[in-house]
Amino acid sequence: MLLAGGVVAIAAATGGGPAGAGPGGVATTQPVLEPSPSLAQLLVRDGDRAAGSGQVIALPGRPVRFCAPVPVAMPGYAAGHEPLPAYCDAGVNL
């Protein structure tokens, strides 16, 4: 610990230091920024595999729908007497 402090002080006094050294001879690191993907890369097309978290609802006469994950209050029902789930507005057809 003491030795490292002495090395930094000597590097700062002599003006030498590691390449890319900032003020006082202390090396600085620059964050590496990844380029954001284009919208075309984020588009899901027929045949693509995708994963998600949410509820899938299949009701008679309507397309099967993958609903966005939203909190829903779950009242208790006797087994076999649960009402049909409501069709969700926020979701996508499968």
Side-chain angles (χ1 to χ4, degrees):
M1 182 77 168
L2 185 57
L3 179 60
V7 171
V8 172
I10 292 171
T14 61
V26 178
T28 59
T29 58
Q30 297 295 324
V32 178
L33 300 176
E34 297 290 328
S36 59
S38 68
L39 293 179
Q41 292 173 321
L42 298 176
L43 185 63
V44 178
R45 295 180 176 82
D46 287 343
D48 288 348
R49 289 181 177 250
S53 176
Q55 184 179 23
V56 176
I57 296 183
L59 296 174
R62 302 197 86 171
V64 176
R65 190 135 171 105
F66 174 71
C67 301
V70 294
V72 178
M74 299 298 292
Y77 293 102
H81 298 308
E82 301 92 352
L84 286 176
Y87 200 68
C88 60
D89 292 328
V92 293
N93 293 339
L94 301 178

